[in-house]
C-alpha cells in the first residue's frame, strides 16, 4: 500500500513540473481505493488548490486531477467511491447556535452600557429587580465560574498566600486611603457637604464585590479561583474591618451584621461554586449540556445587577450634587483600578503570570460591594446624602470594570493569535 502511495506522489510531482510522463498502470486492490483516494486528494489539493465558488476557470476539480494522476484501471473505482461521499467544504462554515451562545460574553460591555442608559431613561424597567434578587443573581454568576473550574484550581489559589495578601491590602488599605483622599477633596475643592464625603469614605471601607470575580473570569479564567478566594476573605473579615475603618475615617462606628455577612457568603459564593464544582467533577455530561447557555444568561444577569441599583437610586444620582459626586466617584474608582494594577506590577514583576495577576488585583482593588455601603448608609445615617456616593458607585464600578474586561480580553485574543 505505502509503495503505491509513494509511486502516486512521485507521479504528482512530475505532473506539477509539467513534464509529460507515461506511467505504467499499477494494480491496486479495490478495497484500498477509498484510502488511497483520500490521501491522493490531499496531495492534489496541495498542488492545485481549489477555490470554491470561483468557477472552473480558477481551479481544477478534484475528480479531474485524480483522473490525470491515477492509472486508468483505478480511476473509475475511485471516481465512483468519491461520488458516494459528501463533498468536504474547504472554507469556514457558518457559526452554529452553540458558537453564538458561547460568544455572548463578548457583548457584555455593550449590554452593560445599554442597561445603564435604559435605567436612566426608563427606571421602571429595572425597579422590579429589588435587593432580594441580587444575592441569587450573583450566586448564579459564581455557579457559572464553578462549572468552568475544578477543585485543583482553588487548591492552586491557596498556594499563593503572598498574592492573596496583596489583594487584601489593596482592598482594605489602598482603597480606604483613596476614599479618605477623595472624601477630603470633595469638601475642600468642591465645597460639598460633609455627609457626601462620608458616603465616599464609607464606599471605600466595604469588602470586595463578587462582580470582580466574574470580570476576572471573563478576562483571565485561570485567575478566577484566586479572585474568588480574595473576595471571600475580604467579605468574611469585613464584619470586623469595615466598622473599624468607618470609625477611623468617618468617626462613626457602624455595626455590621455578622450573621448576615456569613449568610451572604454562603448564598453568593460558597454554595454556588461548590455546586458547579460537583457538577463538573461527577456529572461532566450535564455540564457540557448547560455550559453553552451560561454565557448569555450571565450577560443578562449582569445587566440586571448594573441597571437595577441605578434605577432604584436614580433620584439620588440625579440630585443637585449628583454631577460633582459622579466625577469624584469616577476618579476614586479609576485611581483604585490603576493602583491595583501598578502596585502588583512592582511587587510581582518577576512572576511569569504577572500581567494576568495585575489585571486580577486591579479588579479586586477597583470593585467593591457598593450595595453593602448603600445598605449601611440607609440604615445608620439619617442624612440621605450619605447614600448618594454608594448609589453612584454601584454603576461606575460595573461600567469601568467591564470596560476593562472588553479592553483586556481583546488584547489577550490578539496576543494568542
Amino acid at each position: 500500500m505505502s509503495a503505491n502511495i509513494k509511486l502516486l506522489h512521485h507521479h504528482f510531482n512530475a505532473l506539477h513540473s509539467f513534464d509529460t510522463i507515461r506511467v505504467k498502470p499499477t494494480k491496486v486492490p479495490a478495497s484500498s481505493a477509498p484510502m488511497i483516494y483520500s490521501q491522493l486528494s490531499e496531495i492534489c489539493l496541495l498542488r492545485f488548490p481549489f477555490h470554491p465558488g470561483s468557477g472552473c476557470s480558477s481551479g481544477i476539480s478534484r475528480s479531474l486531477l485524480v483522473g490525470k494522476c491515477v492509472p486508468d484501471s483505478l480511476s473509475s473505482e475511485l471516481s465512483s467511491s468519491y461520488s458516494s461521499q459528501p463533498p468536504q467544504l474547504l472554507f469556514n462554515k457558518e457559526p452554529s447556535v452553540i458558537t453564538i451562545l458561547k460568544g455572548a460574553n463578548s457583548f457584555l460591555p455593550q449590554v452593560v452600557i445599554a442597561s445603564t442608559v435604559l435605567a436612566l431613561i426608563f427606571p421602571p424597567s429595572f425597579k422590579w429587580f429589588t435587593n432580594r434578587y441580587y444575592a441569587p443573581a450573583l450566586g448564579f454568576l459564581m455557579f457559572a465560574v464553578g462549572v468552568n473550574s475544578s477543585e485543583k484550581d482553588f487548591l492552586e489559589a491557596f498556594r499563593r498566600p503572598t498574592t492573596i495578601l496583596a489583594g487584601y491590602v489593596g482592598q482594605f488599605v489602598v482603597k480606604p486611603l483613596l476614599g479618605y483622599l477623595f472624601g477630603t477633596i470633595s469638601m475642600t475643592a468642591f465645597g460639598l457637604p460633609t455627609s457626601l464625603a462620608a458616603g465616599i469614605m464609607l464606599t471605600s471601607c466595604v469588602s470586595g464585590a463578587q462582580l470582580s470575580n466574574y470580570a476576572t473570569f471573563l478576562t483571565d479564567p485561570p485567575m478566577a479561583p484566586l479572585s474568588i478566594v480574595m473576595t471571600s476573605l475580604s467579605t468574611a473579615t469585613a464584619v470586623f474591618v469595615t466598622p473599624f475603618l468607618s470609625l477611623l475615617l468617618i468617626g462613626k462606628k457602624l455595626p455590621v451584621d455578622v450573621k448576615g455577612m456569613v449568610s451572604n457568603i454562603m448564598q453568593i459564593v460558597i454554595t454556588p461554586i461548590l455546586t458547579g464544582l460537583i457538577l463538573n467533577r461527577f456529572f461532566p455530561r450535564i455540564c457540557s449540556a448547560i455550559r453553552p447557555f451560561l454565557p448569555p444568561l450571565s450577560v443578562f444577569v449582569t445587566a440586571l445587577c448594573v441597571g437595577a441599583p441605578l434605577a432604584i437610586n436614580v433620584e439620588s444620582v440625579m440630585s443637585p450634587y449628583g454631577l460633582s459626586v459622579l466625577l469624584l466617584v469616577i476618579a476614586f474608582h479609576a485611581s483604585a483600578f490603576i493602583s491595583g494594577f501598578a502596585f502588583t506590577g512592582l511587587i510581582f514583576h518577576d512572576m511569569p503570570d504577572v500581567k494576568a495577576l495585575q489585571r486580577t488585583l486591579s479588579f479586586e482593588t477597583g470593585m467593591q460591594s457598593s450595595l453593602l455601603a448603600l445598605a449601611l448608609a440607609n440604615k445608620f445615617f439619617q442624612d440621605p446624602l450619605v447614600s448618594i456616593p454608594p448609589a453612584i458607585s454601584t454603576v461606575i464600578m460595573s461600567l469601568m470594570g467591564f470596560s476593562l474586561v472588553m479592553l483586556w480580553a481583546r488584547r489577550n485574543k490578539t496576543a494568542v493569535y
Side-chain angles (χ1 to χ4, degrees):
M1 174 77 67
S2 59
N4 294 328
I5 295 301
K6 290 181 179 178
L7 179 60
L8 293 174
H9 194 283
H10 174 71
H11 296 163
F12 236 102
N13 289 332
L15 179 63
H16 183 60
S17 62
F18 299 100
D19 293 332
T20 303
I21 298 177
R22 295 186 179 275
V23 182
K24 182 179 180 180
T26 305
K27 292 184 178 181
V28 181
S31 59
S32 304
M35 182 180 300
I36 296 177
Y37 183 79
S38 175
Q39 299 184 30
L40 181 59
S41 299
E42 296 178 3
I43 301 173
C44 294
L45 288 177
L46 289 174
R47 297 297 187 187
F48 301 91
F50 174 67
H51 303 282
S54 59
C56 295
S57 60
S58 62
I60 302 177
S61 70
R62 184 179 298 186
S63 299
L64 177 59
L65 287 175
V66 171
K68 297 294 183 182
C69 301
V70 183
D72 294 336
S73 60
L74 186 60
S75 177
S76 59
E77 294 179 5
L78 292 178
S79 299
S80 60
S81 174
Y82 177 73
S83 62
S84 63
Q85 299 177 4
Q88 296 180 355
L89 298 179
L90 303 180
F91 48 90
N92 293 331
K93 297 180 180 180
E94 291 294 328
S96 64
V97 176
I98 299 299
T99 304
I100 295 174
L101 291 176
K102 289 181 178 179
N105 286 330
S106 61
F107 299 99
L108 183 60
Q110 294 88 336
V111 173
V112 168
I113 294 174
S115 63
T116 301
V117 174
L118 182 60
L120 287 173
I121 297 176
F122 188 62
S125 59
F126 287 97
K127 280 190 174 181
W128 62 271
F129 194 80
T130 57
N131 291 339
R132 63 178 179 175
Y133 299 117
Y134 211 82
L138 293 177
F140 171 78
L141 296 180
M142 293 300 99
F143 170 75
V145 174
V147 166
N148 289 278
S149 305
S150 67
E151 62 274 11
K152 294 180 181 179
D153 298 328
F154 287 90
L155 293 176
E156 188 66 27
F158 281 108
R159 292 173 185 168
R160 308 183 68 170
T162 307
T163 54
I164 294 175
L165 178 61
Y168 195 83
V169 170
Q171 192 68 241
F172 281 136
V173 177
V174 175
K175 194 174 62 179
L177 289 175
L178 291 173
Y180 182 79
L181 172 64
F182 286 100
T184 304
I185 291 176
S186 69
M187 293 184 293
T188 56
F190 286 79
L192 298 179
T194 306
S195 54
L196 290 174
I200 296 174
M201 296 178 189
L202 179 61
T203 303
S204 69
C205 294
V206 293
S207 57
Q210 278 73 30
L211 281 179
S212 66
N213 308 148
Y214 189 61
T216 301
F217 171 71
L218 295 177
T219 309
D220 299 284
M223 288 291 177
L226 180 63
S227 175
I228 291 170
V229 171
M230 292 178 183
T231 304
S232 300
L233 180 62
S234 67
T235 304
T237 57
V239 294
F240 311 107
V241 179
T242 297
F244 171 75
L245 289 175
S246 62
L247 178 63
L248 185 64
L249 300 183
I250 306 174
K252 182 175 182 179
K253 185 175 182 180
L254 305 178
V256 179
D257 184 12
V258 177
K259 184 178 179 181
M261 277 286 191
V262 174
S263 175
N264 187 62
I265 297 174
M266 289 296 297
Q267 291 180 32
I268 296 177
V269 181
I270 297 178
T271 301
I273 289 178
L274 280 178
T275 304
L277 290 175
I278 291 173
L279 280 177
N280 197 16
R281 177 68 176 83
F282 297 103
F283 305 96
R285 291 186 178 181
I286 296 178
C287 285
S288 299
I290 67 175
R291 196 173 280 125
F293 299 96
L294 293 179
L297 290 175
S298 298
V299 170
F300 176 70
V301 169
T302 304
L304 292 176
C305 292
V306 173
L310 177 59
I312 295 173
N313 301 279
V314 67
E315 292 82 5
S316 299
V317 176
M318 303 301 292
S319 65
Y321 299 106
L323 180 59
S324 299
V325 176
L326 175 65
L327 295 176
L328 288 167
V329 170
I330 290 175
F332 163 69
H333 282 291
S335 301
F337 280 114
I338 294 172
S339 298
F341 189 88
F343 290 155
T344 304
L346 292 174
I347 298 172
F348 302 103
H349 61 88
D350 56 344
M351 286 192 173
D353 58 349
V354 61
K355 289 298 181 182
L357 192 59
Q358 282 182 281
R359 292 187 287 264
T360 301
L361 288 179
S362 179
F363 287 130
E364 288 300 311
T365 308
M367 304 177 76
Q368 72 284 323
S369 183
S370 302
L371 285 178
L372 174 60
L374 182 60
L376 293 175
N378 291 331
K379 185 174 182 180
F380 297 107
F381 289 89
Q382 295 181 352
D383 194 334
L385 294 180
V386 179
S387 64
I388 294 179
I392 296 178
S393 175
T394 58
V395 181
I396 298 303
M397 170 196 68
S398 302
L399 285 176
M400 295 182 71
F402 289 111
S403 296
L404 289 175
V405 168
M406 179 175 61
L407 175 64
W408 285 335
R410 285 184 177 179
R411 286 186 178 180
N412 284 350
K413 290 182 180 179
T414 305
V416 170
Y417 293 110

Coordinates of all heavy atoms in Angstrom, one line a residue, residues 30 95 121 239 386:
A30 N -9.2 -3.3 -5.0 CA -10.4 -2.3 -4.9 C -10.7 -1.9 -3.5 O -11.2 -0.8 -3.3 CB -11.6 -3.0 -5.6
P95 N -21.3 30.1 11.6 CA -21.2 29.8 13.0 C -22.5 29.1 13.5 O -23.6 29.6 13.1 CB -21.1 31.2 13.6 CG -21.5 32.2 12.6 CD -21.2 31.5 11.3
I121 N -33.3 56.3 31.5 CA -34.4 56.8 30.7 C -35.7 56.3 31.2 O -36.7 57.0 31.3 CB -34.2 56.4 29.2 CG1 -32.9 57.1 28.7 CG2 -35.4 56.8 28.4 CD1 -32.6 56.7 27.2
V239 N -16.8 42.0 58.6 CA -17.6 42.2 59.8 C -16.8 42.9 60.9 O -17.4 43.5 61.8 CB -18.2 40.9 60.3 CG1 -19.2 40.3 59.3 CG2 -17.1 39.9 60.5
V386 N -25.7 60.8 52.3 CA -24.7 59.8 52.5 C -24.8 58.6 51.5 O -23.8 58.0 51.1 CB -24.7 59.2 54.0 CG1 -23.6 58.2 54.2 CG2 -24.5 60.4 55.0

